[in-house]
Structures are given as C-alpha cells and as structure tokens.
Amino acid sequence: MAHEIPPSVLIVTLGTTTGWGSSARELTDAFARAGARARLIGTGPARPVRTFMLTDFAQAWVARRVAERGIARFSPDAVVYCSITAALLWPLPGAIWLDSVAAENRPGRHGLWQRVVEQRRLHAAPLVLTMAEDSLQGLGAQTRPSAITVPVPVSPSGSPAEVRDIDVLAYAGDPEKRRLDHILETWARARREGETLVVAGIERDSSPAGVRFTGRLAPESYRALVRRARVFVAAPRREDYGIAPLEALADGCLLVSTPAPGAYPALRLARSLDPRLVSEDLAPALRAALDDPLPGYARRAAELLEPFSRAAVDRTVAERVLPRLLAR
C-alpha cells in the first residue's frame, strides 16, 4: 500500500537579525511536528544602505531571489514568508507571518512604497499569521485582514537559581532601540547601596556605580543569567514582539517596563500581573518590584504564558494553520 507523501512547506526568512532566524526555525519545527516536510531558507545578512526605503527594498529583493531558488528546487505545496518585508517582492503568493506592519513602523517618507505594497500582499496572501494579537493594529479596521495568532514559543530555560543574586537585568543588544541610556539614568536614581544592574548584550569600557556589562553571550549563558535575576527591566522605543521580556517572565522574573508602542505582548501581561511595574518613570516601578513584589507573581505569569508555549503553538499550526494553508 502506497504511503501518502506529506505536504511540503517552504519557509522564507530574512537573515538580518538573530531574532528572525531563531523565530523562523521555531516555525519550521512546528510545521514539521504537524506532519509537513518543512524547509527553511534564509537570505543571510544584508548589505547596509542609507535609508529605510532602500534597506527594505534590498532585503525584499534578496528574499525574492532566495524564494525563487527554493521554489524551483523544492516545488512546495505552500510558501510562508517570515516578515512583511520578506513578502514585499514575493515571486509567488504565500502566507505571511509577521510581527508588525509597515503602516505602523514605517511612518512618513520612511515607508512610501512599503505601505502601498504591503496592503496588496496582505490581501493577496492565502493566510496571514501574526506573532501577537495586536500585530496588525497599524492598519485601519476596513483594511485589516483576518489572521491567526502564532506567537514565537517561549518556555522556561531551566530550573530557577537557588538564589536570585542579580537585582535587575536588562538586555541591550541594540542600545539605541532599547534606550539603554534611559535605563542607566533611571537606575542611578532608583538604586540603593549594594544593588546591581546587569546589562547583557553589550560591552563598555567603564561602568557607572552599580552597573555591570556582560558583553554578548551565547543564548544558554544569557538565559542562565535570566534565571538568576529578580527583575527584568525594559524601555524600548517600540516593541514589535519582544522575546526577551517574555523569556524573563518565563524564567520567573518580575517585568518592569515603559508602556512602549507596538504589539509588545509582554506589556499586556505585565500590566495584568502588576500595573505598578509599567510606567514611563521606571524608578518607582523598579522600587516596587524590588521592595514589594506581589506574591504569586511567577506562578500567575506561567499561567498567562500558556498560549506562548511550544505545545500551544504546535496545536495552532497543526489544527488551524496547515489545513488552511493547504486548502485549495
């Protein structure tokens, strides 16, 4: 008796950030666990150019070329483009998995062509997948397509440290985007004698009092730091998804954050867990987290994170995404 050949799904991603690379691998694995022959192809790093318009065009063009080669080689039953940018110049319509839209993060002259093409692609796509419930919030109600929420899976990285000996942890791989200077200024006001802020993802020659920089770390080493931290602080200019705050919640940290714009699902969770810890002025929020943490915070965070678990994402991909993607 002949065995039915599993459906083939080609996932096309940009190689511009480690975040998109790891997220695309998670999606590929979810399709594979759902029974598909899932293949991931990426663009690799893009050559830097001067403007957002040129940057998006260059990345979209490379994604098109990579997709063309993958489609010719594998003849997939379906294609998924990871990010709206990867889909802007697609050679073949496919599903789009996105964290945000150009209508929101490319305002004014920065997105003159992207916003127009984005509308066409979203309405031509057989399926739109969003990382967060608010990923399409930049679109008007009349132009917003229906979508299925497929978050990047988040889970605890290991057993919590016996002693959480790091008072506050921040991640600042991109110090401007993460507003590191704002965090350091706030910490100088909020800190008490003997307390330390650890900043991961960046190295500096000198450190202010009560601050330690770790430089870039392997993912395992970074998550080990998270498990030792009492509080994770974030102050992004905007947050399209925000995997680091979600990971911090998964590993038992209290999350202190500014109310940044963007889909930013961890912000909604932080407000639900303890609204005192979400404030434009981080100093009193940090003191509340350090001096008066609400009991049961980590347990309630784990409950709220259940939809972000790998098991939940696998169910969504198997039961809702793959059948829709393969429907003719």
Side-chain angles (χ1 to χ4, degrees), residues 73-97:
R73 179 179 178 186
F74 300 116
S75 299
D77 297 299
V79 181
V80 179
Y81 298 94
C82 293
S83 82
I84 192 66
T85 303
L88 288 175
L89 300 178
W90 66 18
L92 184 72
I96 304 173
W97 187 41

Side-chain angles (χ1 to χ4, degrees), residues 44-322:
R47 180 174 59 87
V49 291
R50 294 183 60 184
T51 68
F52 281 127
M53 287 194 293
L54 284 175
T55 296
D56 291 341
F57 181 82
Q59 293 178 2
W61 178 252
V62 175
R64 176 186 176 89
R65 299 297 300 273
V66 167
E68 287 175 333
R69 291 195 293 268
I71 292 166
R73 179 179 178 186
F74 300 116
S75 299
D77 297 299
V79 181
V80 179
Y81 298 94
C82 293
S83 82
I84 192 66
T85 303
L88 288 175
L89 300 178
W90 66 18
L92 184 72
I96 304 173
W97 187 41
L98 56 85
D99 57 352
S100 64
V101 289
E104 185 176 17
N105 65 19
R106 290 291 187 266
R109 62 183 177 82
H110 296 296
L112 286 175
W113 73 273
Q114 303 97 308
R115 295 192 300 270
V116 174
V117 177
E118 169 180 86
Q119 288 284 351
R120 299 173 187 166
R121 294 296 177 262
L122 288 173
H123 289 282
L127 188 60
V128 176
L129 310 173
T130 62
M131 287 187 180
E133 295 177 2
D134 296 329
S135 292
L136 299 177
Q137 65 182 356
L139 302 175
Q142 300 302 315
T143 59
R144 190 177 302 168
S146 61
I148 298 174
T149 300
V150 182
V152 180
V154 177
S155 59
S157 61
S159 300
E162 292 185 8
V163 177
R164 290 188 176 264
D165 58 346
I166 295 174
D167 299 298
V168 182
L169 176 67
Y171 178 79
D174 183 336
E176 182 177 353
K177 181 178 179 181
R178 303 300 167 195
R179 291 207 297 168
L180 175 59
D181 288 345
H182 179 66
I183 291 175
L184 294 177
E185 182 275 328
T186 300
W187 180 240
R189 291 189 289 114
R191 174 181 178 262
R192 291 178 181 166
E193 187 66 30
E195 293 178 335
T196 302
L197 164 69
V198 174
V199 181
I202 187 173
E203 184 63 84
R204 287 193 174 176
D205 294 334
S206 60
S207 300
V211 178
R212 178 167 64 87
F213 294 93
T214 69
R216 294 190 177 275
L217 300 170
E220 299 80 7
S221 298
Y222 168 72
R223 293 296 295 273
L225 275 185
V226 178
R227 295 195 300 273
R228 292 169 51 196
R230 297 169 58 197
V231 176
F232 185 91
V233 62
R237 293 189 180 279
R238 63 168 288 112
E239 193 62 88
D240 295 325
Y241 187 67
I243 192 70
L246 289 170
E247 290 176 339
L249 287 172
D251 277 333
C253 296
L254 280 74
L255 174 59
V256 170
S257 179
T258 55
Y264 197 5
L267 181 62
R268 173 173 50 84
L269 302 186
R271 282 186 169 127
S272 176
L273 289 163
D274 188 347
R276 299 176 305 162
L277 308 191
V278 177
S279 174
E280 198 59 55
D281 185 357
L282 292 173
L286 282 166
R287 290 285 16 128
L290 291 168
D291 299 337
D292 187 27
L294 290 184
Y297 185 102
R299 174 185 54 77
R300 291 184 294 115
E303 294 170 355
L304 292 177
L305 284 169
E306 196 283 328
F308 296 84
S309 68
R310 187 169 284 117
V313 172
D314 282 355
R315 285 195 301 271
T316 299
V317 170
E319 298 172 7
R320 300 181 62 197
V321 175
L322 191 57

